[in-house]
Amino acid sequence: MKSKIDSFIDHLAAANMENVFNPYVDKCDIHDLADGPQRRRINLRNALKSAVENNTESVWIARDLGYRGGRRTGLALTDEAHLSNFSALHKNIKLQKATKGPVVAERTATVIWNMLDRVSDSVFPWNIFPLHPHLPNDPMSNRCHTSKELKACDHIFNEMLDIIRPNRVFAIGSNAHASLEKKGIRGLCVRHPSYGGQNIFIDQIERAYGIEK
């Protein structure tokens, strides 16, 4: 019998939508290694297993995967430059780079991990929509998911919560917060660090975790 984690990853890999890159099954012909999707599935499996074994306290929920971050790593709010930070936060789990060429950094992930490195609790980052939506004919772009796409992945989000069972939920940005409210999930809304929100985000996380400035 499959574990909850393996079933979850199978359901995630089965999601298939137009103009949406699924990093757990789709291979980018430009950037990915031959086994890129498999490496991302392993990354996520190791992260989930560690989160369960170490009783992860909270989840940080953002909107969707970005083309410079989770599309490449398979881990929400995490670019390749911060794979080692994710590993350290989760008891030095094994994480693999799934792409060719130099490490790519993402601005949002950098701000997020600067704060996660200061948080004493174990945190599992995720997105309200777990895949990378992009503009038609422009796979290296970011767009917001549609309501139809979000609804198609509702069961995946619910499975994640059932696996992690967090005590606290943080919504990063108003989009994620609105989606959580529609699901009846209470979460602390903090400003998304992009578009001038970096200082507000940092201040809100410092206050939420009692971190000294």
Side-chain angles (χ1 to χ4, degrees):
M1 183 176 178
K2 284 188 176 181
S3 69
K4 282 186 177 182
I5 291 175
D6 286 332
S7 293
F8 170 77
I9 293 174
D10 284 349
H11 295 159
L12 188 56
N16 181 21
M17 287 163 259
E18 189 176 6
N19 298 317
V20 172
F21 184 85
N22 184 334
Y24 310 102
V25 67
D26 294 339
K27 178 177 175 290
C28 175
D29 294 331
I30 300 173
H31 299 295
D32 277 351
L33 295 170
D35 61 345
Q38 180 183 0
R39 288 178 178 232
R40 289 188 283 264
R41 289 196 300 272
I42 291 172
N43 283 350
L44 181 57
R45 182 178 292 109
N46 289 344
L48 284 166
K49 184 179 178 183
S50 174
V52 172
E53 290 175 349
N54 294 291
N55 299 312
T56 288
E57 172 68 19
S58 57
V59 293
W60 288 13
I61 306 295
R63 196 183 76 184
D64 25 47
L65 297 181
Y67 77 94
R68 295 176 64 88
R71 175 189 169 104
R72 297 172 69 96
T73 64
L75 299 170
L77 296 169
T78 306
D79 57 12
E80 291 168 339
H82 293 89
L83 281 175
S84 60
N85 302 68
F86 195 117
S87 173
L89 183 65
H90 288 269
K91 310 296 182 181
N92 296 314
I93 58 172
K94 183 178 180 181
L95 298 175
Q96 305 177 73
K97 185 172 178 286
T99 60
K100 300 174 286 189
V103 165
V104 171
E106 181 188 61
R107 182 178 298 177
T108 294
T110 298
V111 179
I112 293 290
W113 277 100
N114 282 343
M115 293 310 299
L116 282 173
D117 285 343
R118 300 173 61 195
V119 171
S120 58
D121 294 337
S122 176
V123 175
F124 186 76
W126 194 246
N127 289 303
I128 200 75
F129 183 71
L131 309 174
H132 170 234
H134 57 80
L135 299 172
N137 303 314
D138 188 4
M140 299 307 152
S141 64
N142 293 325
R143 67 170 173 85
C144 183
H145 57 267
T146 66
S147 57
K148 182 179 179 180
E149 290 166 345
L150 182 62
K151 186 175 181 179
C153 290
D154 271 351
H155 63 292
I156 293 173
F157 186 84
N158 293 335
E159 284 184 67
M160 182 279 297
L161 288 181
D162 185 54
I163 291 170
I164 303 295
R165 296 185 177 276
N167 292 322
R168 306 175 77 187
V169 176
F170 288 75
I172 301 178
S174 57
N175 190 288
H177 186 242
S179 295
L180 288 177
E181 284 196 323
K182 287 180 181 178
K183 294 175 181 293
I185 299 172
R186 296 185 64 182
L188 176 64
C189 182
V190 298
R191 177 71 183 267
H192 196 284
S194 63
Y195 304 111
Q198 178 174 331
N199 291 337
I200 298 174
F201 168 76
I202 291 171
D203 180 67
Q204 289 174 325
I205 293 297
E206 286 176 338
R207 286 190 281 114
Y209 282 94
I211 301 172
E212 292 186 6
K213 296 181 180 294

